Structure formats: structure tokens, C-alpha cells
Amino acid sequence: MLLFVTVLIHEMAHALVARREEWSEHGVRGRVGVPLTALHDPEVPFEDLLDAQRPRCARDLDRWLALETLPPDLELAAPFHPADRTLLDQLFQEHLPKLLATRGGPPSYRRSQHEVARAVAGALGTRELLLVHAPTGTGKTLAYLVPAMLWARRHGVRVGIATYTRTLQEQAMDREVPRALEALSRAGVAPGTRVSVLKGRENYVCWRALKTALPGEDDDGATWLAWTMLALFALTDVEADLDRFPITAPLPLERRGEFTRTLQAHVRLARAGVACCAQSDERETCGAEAARARAQRSHVVIVNQAFALARQEFFKHVVFDECEHLHDQALSAFSHEVAFRDMTNVLARLSNTRRERSRAILDRVERLVLEGTPTHECVKQCFEAWLQASVAVAQLERTAQAFDAWRTDEARRREDRDLHSMLREYATSDGETELVLARKAFVKSWSALETVLAELAERIDALPVRGMARVRRGLERVRTDLALVLVAVHAWLPLEEGRPAFKPRTFYDVERDARGELVLASRVLLPSEFLGRNYYPELATGIFVSATTVLQDGFDAARAYLGLDRAAEPAE
């Protein structure tokens, strides 16, 4: 095993040396300037070697950064240009049939595909919403990709293509985008149409996180093999997309399952996070940041529906493929829940006083820094904030249990229709109830904890202590999860001027999960209403393509299910 890992590392070094022209062109970036000849020098520390290298996504990013950023919208309506409409007809009547014929398919013209393409073109840039039914076999992906490319390129604007799953994103990018671009080339359109895929941050390798997870001298061969596989992947994959990383051993192993678990653990460590890279030089080597930069400069960006709903500011012109799933995606995207178990787990990752040699973040930092230094004082503040946050969790849980007991007792005397609003009643009964006070104290203490942890993260960056980089990475992940808890609690019991401000179309409750533990939940009651009232009005163009009619009652039922009727006829 160790011999194989050594060979892999040498292959990595050899691959880097083989790209010396590329390094010369783009320059070597990093805290330490290591000459290429040092790759074969055993005296050069491996950490210094890593600091001097850039992953493939960062090297490719230089090309994208030279392009202009495209806006998500235009100031005025911009209907499909007549010349582009003529070109669109030629593409679907002539060039695409011939293209498909050269790839083994019959050179047949698809009238339904052409009609869908014309409908999509007619809606782009008109500040309208369009619902299109395109049954299986229509060739719907090309039917919306081609007009989207033409319109976005003509006006220099960004268009989002929102698919149902990440797998469908990849299928569209790997199979249909090349066909569309080749058809445009056959029609005489000059190169320059830019298309990219954008996923959530956790789908990408962060080079800084990967360097932080570098195994130590005492780690076993499986750990080194897992890390080296990820390093080779980051140095060779242009997008650093972990969906393409094989979670499997590269050679027969006696304990294959154990290695797979080790590899999966390293993948989790290498994933980009919400705040994984604070410095500009770090962001340049982060796969998530590179993907975002590519998307900002692309005419067409292929995303999944959940991303499009969550990042509304990124797209104002969107085509929703398989839009029949949008209702469920909205339910997930605009709802929140958090268990008290999640809260205690976040705090336990910061400190665990029950263990003598705790590996929790604050416990490790306290052992690494000198007493009396500014960083040590910051750690003391973190412990104080951690204690207050722990007390706040216990207090909030007690008040949630009190509400749960009250509701159980009241349910014996109430009708079922009253049960959905009992949290509203309980929280607004008499001034500031214990539940509201506990919620305020929780948010205040957890926000204070987040503030001091942010200061600690900055101080850690400046410490030349071995092993501190890995601690910093762990701290970033805890801060991310802490922020998610705060978002969920804010959504569960929203306040305005210190008073509960429940929204009529959201369901707020204290639930119990499969383990019987309490969960704070806020869920959109009617996703169609939320979409129609809140999301669609912010779009400049919304095109909804359905491959099948889930609701068998036709367009009217589909319009209501998706909230399009509410967008068309707003109600008070």
C-alpha cells in the first residue's frame, strides 16, 4: 500500500513538471515560491511543494477571468431578434436534422421540437411567464437550449437552465450542449457562446481544505492513498466537481470497505463550504469559487431547481425543465427545520470537557497557543460565549417542551383544525412569553458566539503553529453549521420589533422526529402561493417546460399547481 502511494505522489510530481510551460505562462502562486526542480528534491518539505501549486480549476480560471461578467438582467425588455428567429428556424429545419443523421439517427425534422423552440424564443426577454408541454421524445432540451443561447449571446445576458437533479445537469452539459454548439457552428455562428454548470458549493474541491487535510507522518497507507487520489483529481479535473470523483479503490485491497470509508471521510474534508476561503489567493484555488466565476461569465448556466430557487439574485431569466417538480422543490427550499440534537452537536464540536484530550476545536486551540497571548484571550472569550450558548440551548429546549406538554393537554379539548395554529397562539398569548424570551436569548448568545469565533479564525491564520491549518478548517465548518442553525431558529419563530411576526402562509411548529426528539420547524403551507406571490414576480423571464402532465387535468391545473395563476392574477 505505502509503495503504491509513493508511486502516486511521484506521478503527481511528474505531471506537474511536465506542465512547466503552463506554469511559466500563468506563474506559480502561493506563500512559498518553490522552483520546479524542487519537485524531485527530497529536501523540500511536501507542504511547501503544495503551497506552490495550483489546482487545474484555478489554472483554467485565468482564461475565464479575462472575459466580461454578464448581468442577470437587462434594463429594458428585449424580445427575440428577427434575425435570430430566422436562424432558429434554419437550425431546427435543416442543421439539427442533418447533425443527428451524422450521429446515427434518422435525418428527420421534428415539428414538435421546432414549435417548442419557437415558443421559448417568443417568451425570452418579454417579461412574461410561459408554460410549455413537451412530451417525451420531443427533444425538449435542445428546444430550449438553442434559443436560450441565441438570445443570451445577442443581448449579453445570463440565462439559467434549471433541471430537476444534478444528474440531469450533467446529461444536458455533456450530451446536449455539444450538439447545440455544433449546430450553431454549422449555421455559421462564430465561436464564443459560453455555457457552464453551477452546483452547490459542497460539490466542489477546495484546494485549501485539501491541503489542510494533508496526512501526517504517522498516518497509515490508506489515509495517504485517499488523500493522494483527491490531490491528483484536483490537479487534473478542470471543474473540481466531486460528482465525477470515483469513490472506489484504484487497486484490489484486502479491506476495501474500510478504505472506502476513509476515502469518503477525506472527500468530506475537501469539500468547499460557505466560508471556506476568506483570502483572495485562497478563493482563486477553490473549485466552488471557480465555478461561480465561470457562471458569472456564461451566457447559459445549467443549475438545479433548488439552486435557482435559493439564489434568486443570480438568475432573472430562467427555463425550468421538468417543472412539475418545482412545487416540491419550493417546499424544501423555503422551509426550515432544526433539531436540538443538531444544536448540541455543533457545540460539542467546539468543546467537549468530558474528554481529557478532547479533539474539539476550542480544546485543541487552547492546547496549541501560549497562555497570556491575545489569541489565548480570544479563546477564553470563545469558551465564555460557548457556555452562554449551551445554556441558551437548554433554556430553549425546556420552553419547547413546555409548549409541547401544553399542546398535548389542549389537544384533548380542541378540534383538529385548531392544532396547526397552536404555536402562534402560545407564543402571542401574554406579552413576552417564556418561549419568545428563550428564542431571543438563544439568537443573542449564538450570534455572540459566531462573532468571537470569526475573530478567532482571523487570529489562527496568523499563527505559524504546525497543525493549526487543519484546526482552522474544522472551525470554518462549525461556523457554517452554526449559521444554518441560526437561520432555522429565525425562520421558526420570526420576530419584528421584538414581537412574533408569523406569516399566514407558513406553518410553524415544534415536532418530534423518528427518535422522539424535539425539532423546530417552519414550512411553507402552499408552495404554489409562495412561488406566485414572492418568487415569480422577481423573474424577468420564466419558462416552464413539462415532459409529462402529472396532473391529468391539463394546463389549468398545472398553472394552479405551479402558482402561475397567482402570478398572473395577484390577490391581496
Side-chain angles (χ1 to χ4, degrees):
M1 171 75 77
L2 288 173
L3 176 62
F4 186 79
V5 173
T6 303
V7 171
L8 279 179
I9 293 175
H10 278 291
E11 286 184 359
M12 179 173 69
H14 179 74
L16 293 173
V17 173
R19 295 195 185 101
R20 57 171 51 89
E21 292 183 359
E22 187 175 342
W23 296 115
S24 176
E25 177 185 351
H26 297 295
V28 177
R29 301 185 184 182
R31 295 193 302 274
V32 181
V34 178
L36 290 172
T37 54
L39 292 170
H40 293 300
D41 186 352
E43 298 299 324
V44 177
F46 196 62
E47 292 86 346
D48 291 351
L49 172 63
L50 283 177
D51 282 339
Q53 314 311 326
R54 300 175 71 206
R56 177 71 184 280
C57 66
R59 304 196 302 273
D60 180 72
L61 183 59
D62 292 341
R63 173 175 62 89
W64 284 87
L65 292 178
L67 303 171
E68 75 280 7
T69 299
L70 301 181
D73 196 10
L74 301 169
E75 294 184 2
L76 301 174
F80 212 76
H81 196 277
D84 289 339
R85 185 174 293 277
T86 300
L87 177 59
L88 184 76
D89 292 338
Q90 293 175 354
L91 285 163
F92 283 92
Q93 290 173 344
E94 178 183 350
H95 299 291
L96 278 170
K98 289 181 179 180
L99 175 61
L100 294 176
T102 60
R103 298 190 175 186
S108 58
Y109 162 67
R110 297 185 183 182
R111 178 177 296 277
S112 58
Q113 183 186 52
H114 189 185
E115 290 175 350
V116 170
R118 289 180 63 88
V120 170
L124 285 166
T126 60
R127 308 280 173 181
E128 295 180 355
L129 303 178
L130 171 70
L131 175 61
V132 179
H133 183 61
T136 301
T138 301
K140 60 184 176 65
T141 305
L142 284 174
Y144 59 67
L145 264 178
V146 173
M149 288 176 175
L150 291 174
W151 184 81
R153 181 165 172 171
R154 164 76 65 175
H155 298 287
V157 71
R158 187 190 315 148
V159 175
I161 304 295
T163 66
Y164 176 42
T165 63
R166 295 201 305 267
T167 301
L168 292 174
Q169 282 181 263
E170 294 167 1
Q171 289 179 1
M173 187 67 180
D174 296 339
R175 186 175 61 185
E176 304 301 343
V177 168
R179 290 178 179 176
L181 292 175
E182 185 173 348
L184 291 176
S185 177
R186 290 183 175 217
V189 177
T193 304
R194 304 192 291 272
V195 185
S196 65
V197 171
L198 182 59
K199 302 178 182 179
R201 294 186 63 88
E202 69 281 357
N203 290 94
Y204 298 98
V205 175
C206 174
W207 182 247
R208 177 182 180 278
L210 183 60
K211 291 193 300 180
T212 301
L214 177 67
E217 295 179 359
D218 297 332
D219 285 308
D220 59 17
T223 299
W224 272 101
L225 176 57
W227 183 89
T228 305
M229 287 176 61
L230 274 165
L232 287 170
F233 176 77
L235 288 167
T236 56
D237 190 89
V238 70
E239 294 181 1
D241 184 352
L242 283 168
D243 284 339
R244 295 204 293 265
F245 179 72
I247 305 294
T248 182
L251 74 166
L253 299 174
E254 291 183 2
R255 293 180 291 182
R256 193 180 190 89
E258 181 179 334
F259 172 75
T260 300
R261 288 190 291 273
T262 300
L263 185 58
Q264 290 172 335
H266 274 73
V267 168
R268 288 193 294 271
L269 290 173
R271 290 185 185 278
V274 174
C276 59
C277 296
Q279 307 299 325
S280 59
D281 58 335
E282 295 170 352
R283 290 194 293 270
E284 290 176 358
T285 61
C286 180
E289 292 293 333
R292 177 183 175 87
R294 290 194 299 269
Q296 289 174 328
R297 292 159 175 81
S298 294
H299 298 103
V300 174
V301 185
I302 303 176
V303 298
N304 58 55
Q305 293 176 2
F307 187 99
L309 292 174
R311 300 297 303 274
Q312 189 170 2
E313 77 283 356
F314 207 86
F315 300 105
K316 296 300 181 183
H317 302 270
V318 189
V319 178
F320 294 96
D321 192 6
E322 297 195 14
C323 65
E324 59 268 18
H325 299 288
L326 198 57
H327 184 279
D328 294 336
Q329 291 292 316
L331 179 63
S332 176
F334 302 131
S335 299
H336 303 274
E337 67 175 43
V338 60
F340 283 98
R341 180 179 64 255
D342 300 328
M343 304 177 193
T344 55
N345 286 343
V346 170
L347 295 176
R349 286 157 57 195
L350 283 171
S351 180
N352 189 347
T353 56
R354 291 175 294 182
R355 290 190 176 184
E356 184 176 349
R357 296 290 292 180
S358 168
R359 300 289 293 172
I361 302 298
L362 295 180
D363 301 333
R364 293 171 66 185
V365 175
E366 186 180 35
R367 293 195 297 266
L368 290 171
V369 301
L370 294 175
E371 189 172 353
T373 61
T375 302
H376 187 266
E377 291 300 314
C378 184
V379 173
K380 289 174 59 178
Q381 294 176 12
C382 288
F383 275 117
E384 294 173 1
W386 176 88
L387 181 60
Q388 293 298 320
S390 301
V391 171
V393 171
Q395 182 182 0
L396 185 61
E397 187 171 16
R398 284 196 299 271
T399 57
Q401 290 170 342
F403 161 72
D404 188 47
W406 173 83
R407 178 178 55 187
T408 301
D409 183 61
E410 286 291 312
R412 300 188 183 99
R413 299 186 291 271
R414 302 286 189 98
E415 297 182 9
D416 290 344
R417 65 184 181 183
D418 296 332
L419 300 182
H420 77 279
S421 61
M422 295 190 74
L423 181 64
R424 299 170 186 253
E425 177 183 339
Y426 187 85
T428 58
S429 55
D430 297 308
E432 287 191 316
T433 64
E434 289 187 7
L435 189 67
V436 175
L437 291 173
R439 185 272 196 204
K440 289 181 178 179
F442 178 92
V443 170
K444 181 179 179 180
S445 64
W446 277 60
S447 298
L449 177 59
E450 202 285 328
T451 299
V452 293
L453 289 178
E455 180 183 348
L456 179 62
E458 293 180 1
R459 292 187 177 276
I460 286 177
D461 278 338
L463 293 179
V465 180
R466 183 176 179 83
M468 196 62 81
R470 185 174 295 191
V471 174
R472 171 72 156 80
R473 176 62 176 169
L475 180 58
E476 290 167 354
R477 291 194 173 278
V478 172
R479 289 179 58 203
T480 297
D481 292 340
L482 188 153
L484 293 175
V485 170
L486 276 172
V487 168
V489 173
H490 273 289
W492 165 69
L493 208 169
L495 300 179
E496 290 183 5
E497 298 182 355
R499 297 286 298 165
F502 295 111
K503 298 178 181 178
R505 295 174 189 83
T506 302
F507 174 62
Y508 307 90
D509 200 12
V510 175
E511 303 173 345
R512 290 192 178 272
D513 60 15
R515 299 183 183 183
E517 299 184 20
L518 291 180
V519 177
L520 308 181
S522 61
R523 296 191 175 88
V524 175
L525 282 173
L526 298 172
S528 57
E529 286 285 321
F530 193 94
L531 287 168
R533 292 177 183 271
N534 301 95
Y535 182 73
Y536 298 152
E538 297 298 320
L539 291 178
T541 300
I543 298 172
F544 306 82
V545 182
S546 175
T548 178
T549 305
V550 176
L551 303 177
Q552 299 298 322
D553 297 328
F555 277 99
D556 289 340
R559 279 164 46 88
Y561 186 67
L562 293 172
L564 294 173
D565 56 349
R566 174 62 66 230
E569 299 176 5
E572 294 183 2

